[in-house]
Amino acid sequence: MTQASTGQTAETDKGGPRTALAGLTTRGRSFLAAGVAAAICAYVLGQTDLLQVGLLLAVLPLVCATVLYRTRYRVAGSRRLSPGRVPAGSEARVHLRMDNISRLPTGLLMLQDKVPYVLGPRPRFVLDRVEAGGRREVSYRVRSDMRGRYPLGPLQLRLADPFGMCELTRSFSTYDTLTVIPRVEALPPVRLAGEAKGYGDGRQRSLALAGEDDIIPRGYRYGDDLRRVHWRLTARYGELMVRREEQPQRSRCSVLLDTRGIAFRGTGPDSAFEWAVSGSASALVHMLERGFSVRLLTDTGTSVPGEGTDGFAGASQESADAAGMMMDTLAVVDHSDGSGLSRAYDALRGGNEGLLIAFLGDLDEEQATVLGKMRQRSGGAVAFLLDSESWVREPAEVPGPLDGSANQLRMLREAGWTAVMVPRGASLADLWREADRQRTQMVSTGPTAGGGGV
């Protein structure tokens, strides 16, 4: 379980007399106004008894404000998120803790946390008297259907006197951030072509063909283990030669997310763009779990900060951190101002890119041509094509694929892609199996790149 927490200590005697007077409640202001009015009337009418009543009414809220202002005790507040990263549509719990670290007990406290409106109403808690050295813990739940990064805080503490005449608010300055990541759908282990061009098993494969060690030598470097010295080749070349340690080669996969604003229509959690983001997240996690070196690309050519040229490696201790970094990137990804996919193609011009999985919006002939070039740079390519117009119209108005989307699908398949149309509200797991069936048909009708289990 992922947790995040922050804490801060605050003194309740901050501010000045004006701050204390400004904290008078409606009841306190009413008492003060009634006392002043009674005192004026008593002076005009010469009523001594009424003057005493007026003074009592006016002095009571002032005394309460002064006592509350001069009360000196220190409290510490902390917030803990459980978890700190949550999928869209799921709940996270926020734990608040207040510690009285002074030598005096507190009065009535009202604890309030500031949250964005998309996470729900602002939580408020009334805490009774907290003894010296005591603590109080409360919690509330937040939920968002939209991904993003949402600030929580600052935490506010409201102090009140026993008569309800005055309230003073103290704010802590620390914030926490709740990251709402895209929904991730579990995908079936099917066989898609091209996970590592030229390799059939799809797992780690040695660079050498004989045993665990690559007998191709290299020159001795300072710090090399002398047990790896190849003496026969050393005698042959006249210098120390060592056996090169084999470095296994991982299957590679690139996930391309089309973020062009002109390629998608509609907004909200059920829009085509949100489905594409969720699909990209599901594919990334699925390929990482199967030991692939995975990288995330967008139409702008950018990838995850800190990601290497080969992407993040799966099936390792860092795979969970890698998945977290990519989920954090997808949590805040938004539409781009670009109109083409040329930058993404430039990012894939390194040669063998292994398997390429793309989630695409509306395309034209120019972008279909660019995607055809991308196919030549990869061992295999799978495209999930979303026709945004069909997603914003009622299902009864669109009985089947529109002519434009059917033409886009045809262009991708002619370029060598395994292309699948994504209807409104479709399950990625079903489309994943459909891509596997389509690949099987392509294999039975003609040669294709080597496949492997994904």
Side-chain angles (χ1 to χ4, degrees):
M1 179 180 297
T2 303
Q3 297 179 342
S5 62
T6 59
Q8 190 180 23
T9 302
E11 295 185 4
T12 60
D13 59 347
K14 292 182 178 180
R18 291 184 179 180
T19 303
L21 293 177
L24 290 175
T25 62
T26 302
R27 179 185 298 179
R29 295 175 186 274
S30 300
F31 268 67
L32 182 60
V36 172
I40 294 175
C41 292
Y43 176 78
V44 173
L45 300 176
Q47 297 290 329
T48 305
D49 294 339
L50 182 59
L51 178 61
Q52 294 176 351
V53 173
L55 292 177
L56 176 63
L57 293 177
V59 168
L60 180 60
L62 297 178
V63 171
C64 291
T66 302
V67 171
L68 187 63
Y69 164 70
R70 294 183 64 85
T71 300
R72 301 178 62 89
Y73 52 82
R74 301 174 69 240
V75 292
S78 63
R79 182 191 301 105
R80 178 168 56 88
L81 308 182
S82 178
R85 184 187 292 119
V86 62
S90 300
E91 291 184 343
R93 183 168 290 275
V94 183
H95 301 268
L96 303 178
R97 172 176 165 176
M98 296 300 302
D99 293 271
N100 182 11
I101 58 178
S102 65
R103 298 180 180 180
L104 297 175
T106 69
L108 188 66
L109 305 177
M110 188 177 80
L111 193 62
Q112 177 177 277
D113 207 7
K114 185 178 180 181
V115 300
Y117 72 94
V118 295
L119 298 182
R122 178 174 295 185
R124 294 181 175 90
F125 304 93
V126 177
L127 305 180
D128 203 354
R129 179 177 179 272
V130 182
E131 65 279 4
R135 71 178 59 169
R136 297 290 186 271
E137 295 185 6
V138 293
S139 65
Y140 64 94
R141 292 178 294 181
V142 292
R143 179 181 182 273
S144 175
D145 291 328
M146 289 296 296
R147 57 188 175 78
R149 292 174 62 87
Y150 300 99
L152 300 179
L155 189 64
Q156 293 181 332
L157 188 64
R158 184 171 296 177
L159 314 175
D161 67 280
F163 299 101
M165 297 290 179
C166 183
E167 290 182 350
L168 297 181
T169 301
R170 297 290 177 260
S171 296
F172 298 88
S173 60
T174 55
Y175 291 81
D176 282 298
T177 301
L178 175 67
T179 302
V180 181
I181 63 176
R183 297 182 180 92
V184 175
E185 185 176 352
L187 302 180
V190 301
R191 297 178 62 84
L192 297 177
E195 68 196 64
K197 189 174 182 181
Y199 300 106
D201 55 5
R203 294 298 178 185
Q204 296 182 1
R205 173 163 179 158
S206 302
L207 294 176
L209 300 177
E212 296 183 352
D213 293 333
D214 188 352
I215 63 172
I216 300 177
R218 62 169 175 83
Y220 176 83
R221 298 171 185 169
Y222 179 79
D224 285 341
D225 190 348
L226 292 177
R227 290 175 297 181
R228 301 197 64 84
V229 174
H230 197 290
W231 297 108
R232 183 166 51 183
L233 291 177
T234 297
R236 178 178 177 181
Y237 289 100
E239 61 177 333
L240 284 177
M241 305 294 292
V242 297
R243 298 180 179 89
R244 183 186 307 166
E245 294 184 358
E246 172 198 359
Q247 298 295 332
Q249 179 173 337
R250 290 185 180 275
S251 302
R252 300 172 62 183
C253 174
S254 297
V255 177
L256 171 62
L257 173 61
D258 185 3
T259 63
R260 295 173 299 139
I262 61 175
F264 295 93
R265 296 175 56 187
T267 58
D270 297 326
S271 63
F273 180 68
E274 293 301 322
W275 192 99
V277 174
S278 178
S280 300
S282 302
L284 288 168
V285 172
H286 179 77
M287 304 308 288
L288 270 175
E289 290 176 348
R290 273 146 185 80
F292 282 69
S293 292
V294 182
R295 67 169 173 170
L296 170 65
L297 294 176
T298 66
D299 56 285
T300 61
T302 59
S303 57
V304 181
E307 186 182 63
T309 56
D310 292 336
F312 290 108
S316 65
Q317 295 181 353
E318 294 81 11
S319 60
D321 295 337
M325 292 181 63
M326 287 188 285
M327 292 302 104
D328 289 345
T329 301
L330 290 176
V332 296
V333 70
D334 202 354
H335 291 295
S336 68
D337 297 331
S339 59
L341 300 172
S342 57
R343 293 184 179 179
Y345 169 68
D346 292 337
L348 293 173
R349 295 180 64 180
N352 174 30
E353 295 295 335
L355 177 63
L356 175 60
I357 303 175
F359 294 85
L360 307 169
D362 296 333
L363 303 173
D364 54 23
E365 292 186 4
E366 180 180 356
Q367 307 315 317
T369 302
V370 175
L371 288 169
K373 297 178 181 178
M374 290 185 187
R375 174 63 184 90
Q376 299 174 3
R377 294 286 180 179
S378 61
V382 182
F384 297 94
L385 184 62
L386 295 93
D387 181 21
S388 60
E389 183 177 355
S390 65
W391 279 70
V392 297
R393 298 173 61 182
E394 294 297 329
E397 300 178 6
V398 188
L402 301 178
D403 294 339
S405 59
N407 185 47
Q408 297 167 8
L409 197 66
R410 177 186 57 81
M411 290 187 295
L412 288 178
R413 290 175 176 173
E414 290 179 352
W417 285 76
T418 300
V420 179
M421 181 61 65
V422 180
R424 183 177 181 179
S427 168
L428 179 59
D430 296 336
L431 299 178
W432 198 257
R433 296 187 184 94
E434 175 62 26
D436 177 52
R437 288 192 292 267
Q438 187 179 135
R439 182 200 68 87
T440 304
Q441 294 177 0
M442 294 175 61
V443 171
S444 61
T445 57
T448 186
V454 297

